[in-house]
Short mmCIF file of all heavy atoms in Angstrom, two decimals:
data_model
loop_
_atom_site.label_atom_id
_atom_site.label_comp_id
_atom_site.label_asym_id
_atom_site.label_seq_id
_atom_site.Cartn_x
_atom_site.Cartn_y
_atom_site.Cartn_z
N ASP G 139 -19.93 39.53 4.44
CA ASP G 139 -21.36 39.65 3.96
C ASP G 139 -21.65 40.95 3.28
O ASP G 139 -22.43 41.13 2.37
CB ASP G 139 -22.33 39.55 5.11
CG ASP G 139 -22.46 38.14 5.61
OD1 ASP G 139 -21.91 37.23 4.99
OD2 ASP G 139 -23.00 37.92 6.75
N THR G 140 -20.87 41.98 3.64
CA THR G 140 -21.12 43.40 3.19
C THR G 140 -20.06 43.85 2.18
O THR G 140 -20.18 45.01 1.61
CB THR G 140 -21.25 44.36 4.41
OG1 THR G 140 -19.96 44.26 5.09
CG2 THR G 140 -22.41 44.00 5.19
N HIS G 141 -18.99 43.12 1.87
CA HIS G 141 -17.98 43.57 0.96
C HIS G 141 -18.17 42.79 -0.36
O HIS G 141 -18.84 41.78 -0.45
CB HIS G 141 -16.59 43.36 1.52
CG HIS G 141 -16.20 44.47 2.54
ND1 HIS G 141 -16.73 44.54 3.83
CD2 HIS G 141 -15.36 45.59 2.39
CE1 HIS G 141 -16.32 45.51 4.40
NE2 HIS G 141 -15.40 46.21 3.63
N HIS G 142 -17.50 43.29 -1.44
CA HIS G 142 -17.75 42.80 -2.81
C HIS G 142 -16.59 42.12 -3.38
O HIS G 142 -16.75 41.16 -4.22
CB HIS G 142 -18.10 44.00 -3.74
CG HIS G 142 -19.24 44.77 -3.20
ND1 HIS G 142 -19.11 46.06 -2.63
CD2 HIS G 142 -20.57 44.47 -3.25
CE1 HIS G 142 -20.37 46.54 -2.30
NE2 HIS G 142 -21.24 45.60 -2.63
N ILE G 143 -15.26 42.44 -2.96
CA ILE G 143 -14.04 41.83 -3.54
C ILE G 143 -13.06 41.59 -2.38
O ILE G 143 -12.92 42.44 -1.49
CB ILE G 143 -13.44 42.82 -4.61
CG1 ILE G 143 -14.44 43.13 -5.72
CG2 ILE G 143 -12.25 42.13 -5.17
CD1 ILE G 143 -13.95 44.22 -6.72
N GLY G 144 -12.41 40.47 -2.55
CA GLY G 144 -11.25 40.18 -1.61
C GLY G 144 -9.95 40.40 -2.27
O GLY G 144 -9.75 39.92 -3.37
N VAL G 145 -8.95 40.92 -1.49
CA VAL G 145 -7.59 41.17 -2.09
C VAL G 145 -6.72 39.98 -1.53
O VAL G 145 -6.51 39.90 -0.32
CB VAL G 145 -6.94 42.47 -1.74
CG1 VAL G 145 -5.55 42.60 -2.29
CG2 VAL G 145 -7.86 43.56 -2.29
N GLY G 146 -6.13 39.18 -2.36
CA GLY G 146 -5.14 38.19 -1.92
C GLY G 146 -3.82 38.76 -2.01
O GLY G 146 -3.59 39.93 -1.68
N THR G 147 -2.81 37.92 -2.30
CA THR G 147 -1.46 38.40 -2.38
C THR G 147 -1.12 39.19 -3.64
O THR G 147 -1.32 38.62 -4.69
CB THR G 147 -0.41 37.22 -2.22
OG1 THR G 147 -0.60 36.61 -0.93
CG2 THR G 147 0.96 37.67 -2.28
N ILE G 148 -0.74 40.36 -3.55
CA ILE G 148 -0.42 41.13 -4.79
C ILE G 148 1.00 41.86 -4.64
O ILE G 148 1.27 42.75 -5.38
CB ILE G 148 -1.53 42.30 -5.08
CG1 ILE G 148 -1.70 43.21 -3.95
CG2 ILE G 148 -2.79 41.55 -5.46
CD1 ILE G 148 -2.64 44.38 -4.21
N GLY G 149 1.81 41.23 -3.81
CA GLY G 149 3.16 41.69 -3.65
C GLY G 149 4.19 40.63 -3.60
O GLY G 149 5.21 40.71 -3.02
N GLY G 150 3.87 39.58 -4.23
CA GLY G 150 4.68 38.37 -4.28
C GLY G 150 6.10 38.67 -4.75
O GLY G 150 7.06 38.01 -4.44
N PHE G 151 6.15 39.65 -5.65
CA PHE G 151 7.41 39.99 -6.34
C PHE G 151 8.53 40.44 -5.18
O PHE G 151 9.66 40.38 -5.35
CB PHE G 151 7.29 41.09 -7.28
CG PHE G 151 6.77 42.44 -6.70
CD1 PHE G 151 7.63 43.39 -6.26
CD2 PHE G 151 5.40 42.63 -6.52
CE1 PHE G 151 7.15 44.59 -5.80
CE2 PHE G 151 4.90 43.85 -6.07
CZ PHE G 151 5.82 44.81 -5.63
#
Side-chain angles (χ1 to χ4, degrees):
D139 289 346
T140 55
H141 282 72
H142 305 103
I143 303 173
V145 180
T147 299
I148 57 173
F151 63 93

